[in-house]
Amino acid sequence: MPSYRELLRQVKTEVEEVDAAQARELLESGEPPVLVDVRERDEWSEGHIPGAVHVPRGHLESRIEQAAPDRSQPVVLYCAGGSRSAFAAKTLEELGYENVSSLAGGFTDWKRNGYPTQLPRSLDAAKRQRYSRHLLIPEVGEQGQLRLLDSRVLLIGAGGLGSPAALYLAAAGVGRIGIVDDDRVDETNLQRQIAHSTETLGDWKAESAKRTIEALNPDVEVIPYLERLTSENVDRILADGWDVIVDGADNFPTRYLVNDAAVWHGVPVVHGSIYRFEGQVTVFKPHEGPCYRCLFPQPPPPELAPSCAEGGVLGVLPGIVGSLQASETLKLALGIGESLAGRLLLFDALTTEFSEVTLRRDPDCPVCGDNPTITEYVDYVEFCQGRPAHA
Ligand SMILES: [Zn+2]
């Protein structure tokens, strides 16, 4: 039986080796090889070569096809000193890889040459635990979770739709959640607005929701805006930087403001609305799909406007629609799946039926069309009895 040293010497004569300078040249060439770091997780997390993919030696055979699906594509492997990667190169050759080399001297020699290194961002142990069910989904994974933690979502309204959306976004680890709401919690809200409770009656909804979110997930930073969205404050609030807006407002002045601001700031809006047993959800993606004004260029005339006071709703309905909004928001933040842009999803709780209507961008839209006629915010007056209500 050969000793380890003899075996290593033998393997090294059989595999191709490149030194740090050659490896760097290859990586900077027009057609760089796939660079694979075969070290353990703790070594990788202390720094690696930029552009490398991490496939620990122990998982090489099972995971290399994901990192390098094309066996004719050149692969450069490295470890700390060049021994593990030599064995790994031998393995890849046995798996049919045609152009494999091992970095002689490994990461140690790379660093000694003063070449660039990169510290990977990774989740700490507590976050790996908390988000473990996300890490198990390939479409999310560690990088997706980091993306969620970096993402910023603005909720318009902490009412029926905003409550479930806020809670699920917070639970999923969306790192920053802004909440615009100038309303206080009252008894009639608690039948559906699950971010609030009997204990927070009389409190600002945005503050009440903030407390619920912080108890659920301390990773989330909540920014409450205790104000009603107006033409005066909308630019200031959007200037705080948001990736997605979740519109849970139930009045058209706010809806138009959100729409126009989102088009001008280039932020997608996940729109939801509810009435009695019926809910609607869609995504307005500026210039990629229709906006709200493509469908309804102007608010309805006063005589056709619904009365705010009659807006009854089945308690669970906002939970369903708000959860769909959260789902659309997470997809947008992760850049996965197909959004509801250009599709209006309708839900009827009485028959438990979903249906869908195709929406098209209107080239004559007064805001996102080819020749916009509305270029400044409009403060519409709500035409209904009683104070404006959030869903
Ligand atoms: Zn439009």
Side-chain angles (χ1 to χ4, degrees), residues 283-337:
V283 170
F284 296 123
K285 230 175 172 181
H287 303 293
E288 284 180 41
C291 79
Y292 187 69
R293 281 198 198 263
C294 290
L295 316 178
F296 308 106
Q298 301 291 341
E303 61 273 20
L304 292 181
S307 165
C308 299
E310 284 175 15
V313 62
L314 185 69
V316 68
L317 183 68
I320 295 164
V321 174
S323 299
L324 283 166
Q325 286 180 283
S327 173
E328 289 302 297
T329 304
L330 292 178
K331 281 159 55 192
L332 288 170
L334 289 165
I336 60 171

Side-chain angles (χ1 to χ4, degrees), residues 131 134 145 147-154 165-166 168-178 213 217 219-222 242-243 326 329-330 333:
Y131 305 113
H134 270 167
Q145 190 60 53
R147 219 170 146 166
L148 288 180
L149 288 162
D150 283 341
S151 60
R152 303 151 301 173
V153 175
L154 182 67
Y168 273 113
L169 293 175
V174 166
R176 182 183 289 188
I177 296 178
I213 289 171
N217 188 351
D219 294 342
V220 183
E221 182 192 4
V222 181
W242 304 102
D243 304 313
T329 304
L330 292 178

Side-chain angles (χ1 to χ4, degrees), residues 71-331:
R71 282 172 161 73
S72 65
Q73 197 182 359
V75 177
V76 174
L77 301 156
Y78 75 92
C79 59
S83 304
R84 280 174 289 172
S85 61
F87 286 109
K90 177 93 178 130
T91 302
L92 288 200
E93 281 174 4
E94 286 164 2
L95 283 170
Y97 282 83
E98 295 162 18
N99 188 344
V100 187
S101 49
S102 161
L103 177 61
F107 188 58
T108 311
D109 202 44
W110 177 274
K111 277 196 296 191
R112 198 181 298 134
N113 276 279
Y115 295 156
T117 63
Q118 191 180 357
L119 273 175
R121 290 187 58 215
S122 60
L123 297 169
D124 61 30
K127 288 190 174 65
R128 295 190 69 77
Q129 190 79 7
R130 177 179 281 266
Y131 305 113
S132 64
R133 295 305 185 273
H134 270 167
L135 304 190
L136 291 169
I137 311 175
E139 287 83 352
V140 184
E142 185 166 22
Q143 291 313 307
Q145 190 60 53
L146 287 163
R147 219 170 146 166
L148 288 180
L149 288 162
D150 283 341
S151 60
R152 303 151 301 173
V153 175
L154 182 67
L155 296 174
I156 310 296
L161 297 171
S163 285
L167 296 189
Y168 273 113
L169 293 175
V174 166
R176 182 183 289 188
I177 296 178
I179 303 175
V180 186
D181 200 308
D182 71 334
D183 215 356
R184 289 178 184 270
V185 181
D186 73 39
E187 286 92 342
T188 67
N189 301 145
L190 300 181
Q191 164 249 23
R192 64 202 177 282
Q193 301 185 8
I194 57 168
H196 316 300
S197 70
T198 312
E199 279 173 17
T200 62
L201 280 172
D203 295 351
W204 294 106
K205 285 189 185 177
E207 296 285 7
S208 163
K210 179 178 156 83
R211 282 203 294 283
T212 309
I213 289 171
E214 283 171 349
L216 174 62
N217 188 351
D219 294 342
V220 183
E221 182 192 4
V222 181
I223 302 180
Y225 298 91
L226 308 178
E227 50 199 317
R228 185 178 175 76
L229 202 70
T230 66
S231 61
E232 297 296 314
N233 61 18
V234 63
D235 278 334
R236 167 173 55 80
I237 292 171
L238 263 74
D240 288 344
W242 304 102
D243 304 313
V244 183
I245 298 171
V246 176
D247 184 3
D250 188 26
N251 63 86
F252 63 80
T254 304
R255 204 166 281 167
Y256 280 100
L257 266 181
V258 168
N259 181 72
D260 299 354
V263 170
W264 293 332
H265 286 260
V267 184
V269 175
V270 180
H271 168 93
S273 68
I274 43 173
Y275 181 70
R276 296 189 177 173
F277 295 96
E278 290 164 23
Q280 304 187 345
V281 197
T282 189
V283 170
F284 296 123
K285 230 175 172 181
H287 303 293
E288 284 180 41
C291 79
Y292 187 69
R293 281 198 198 263
C294 290
L295 316 178
F296 308 106
Q298 301 291 341
E303 61 273 20
L304 292 181
S307 165
C308 299
E310 284 175 15
V313 62
L314 185 69
V316 68
L317 183 68
I320 295 164
V321 174
S323 299
L324 283 166
Q325 286 180 283
S327 173
E328 289 302 297
T329 304
L330 292 178
K331 281 159 55 192

